[in-house]
Amino acid sequence: RLWIGGSDGVSVRLPDGSVRSYDQSDGLVWPDISQAGFWMEDDGAVFIGTGRGLAYFDPSADRPVDAPPNVVLTSTAVGGVERRAGERVEVPHDQGVFTARFSGLAFRKASRARFEVQLEGLDDEPILTKQREVRYAALPAGEYRFRVRCQSAAGAWSAEPATFAFAVLPPWWELWWVRAAAAALLGLLIVALVQLRVRRIERDRRHRGIVRP
């Protein structure tokens, strides 16, 4: 094992070539490692000198946690109003704002958890982020489904995503029956204009003494 200390914790190069990092979330007293601040015991345990005290590392007790973390939605709001998962949510077109807060239930190195978020109906691909909150504003009319998964520091992904579905309704002038009615009215107007034009032509013919054969 090759131990390397710096200003943000310790990295260890393992015999298989992989590298693991440790910081305060792993129990390190302080992230700033003192120069030449390592002492290894015969059993492989290591004393690590930091800027705030001495840390002790027992490699026999260090086991990576590969269990997939659960992910939960802690808050969801549509149109500025808190909503609950599972209920049918529909908002007018001028309230198309969606916010969500979420958390990954990964207790080991929770600060290093990453999330994969996607708003189906808007995002073409999932987005990776370390943030625990998203906000979408001025959403157009349509059906949406928000999905979020969590990746633990060990690289394990949530078995199931947390989801939330909602809909932004179109404005009244985009409703199908309004468009159908408008098309029908336009058709009637065209027919009325044609009939009016035909009547004028017939009247002009009568005034000029022209009679149809």
Side-chain angles (χ1 to χ4, degrees):
R1 298 187 178 211
L2 176 62
W3 293 77
I4 305 169
S7 60
D8 56 355
V10 175
S11 294
V12 185
R13 186 180 185 277
L14 303 176
D16 62 3
S18 62
V19 177
R20 295 193 62 188
S21 298
Y22 303 92
D23 55 22
Q24 285 181 288
S25 65
D26 301 290
L28 196 62
V29 178
W30 192 250
D32 189 11
I33 308 303
S34 302
Q35 184 176 2
F38 294 97
W39 177 267
M40 181 172 289
E41 297 286 273
D42 293 338
D43 60 359
V46 179
F47 288 94
I48 305 170
T50 76
R52 294 287 181 89
L54 192 64
Y56 177 77
F57 176 80
D58 182 3
S60 65
D62 182 51
R63 295 290 184 273
V65 178
D66 294 323
N70 291 326
V71 60
V72 295
L73 291 168
T74 58
S75 174
T76 50
V78 184
V81 179
E82 288 286 334
R83 310 285 184 169
R84 294 177 300 176
E87 66 175 314
R88 177 63 180 174
V89 178
E90 295 179 340
V91 296
H93 71 281
D94 58 351
Q95 297 182 19
V97 179
F98 172 68
T99 58
R101 295 183 179 90
F102 39 86
S103 179
L105 305 182
F107 299 104
R108 179 182 173 86
K109 297 185 179 180
S111 61
R112 294 188 184 178
R114 295 195 308 169
F115 297 90
E116 181 187 79
V117 300
Q118 183 178 13
L119 184 60
E120 296 177 348
L122 182 70
D123 297 330
D124 294 329
E125 299 290 339
I127 301 170
L128 282 176
T129 179
K130 289 187 175 180
Q131 302 298 318
R132 288 167 168 76
E133 179 179 356
V134 294
R135 184 176 188 273
Y136 296 87
L139 290 171
E143 298 279 342
Y144 297 96
R145 183 171 179 262
F146 179 71
R147 299 173 69 256
V148 56
R149 295 196 304 157
C150 177
Q151 184 186 41
S152 68
W157 283 98
S158 304
E160 295 291 338
T163 63
F164 180 83
F166 64 98
V168 178
L169 300 176
W172 65 267
W173 59 85
E174 291 186 1
L175 296 175
W176 71 268
W177 61 268
V178 174
R179 292 185 175 184
L185 288 175
L186 180 60
L188 292 174
L189 178 61
I190 292 174
V191 171
L193 291 174
V194 170
Q195 290 179 346
L196 180 61
R197 178 61 177 168
V198 170
R199 290 173 182 173
R200 285 182 177 177
I201 293 174
E202 291 292 337
R203 185 179 59 192
D204 291 343
R205 283 178 175 177
R206 285 194 299 268
H207 287 169
R208 296 175 184 176
I210 301 176
V211 181
R212 287 184 178 182

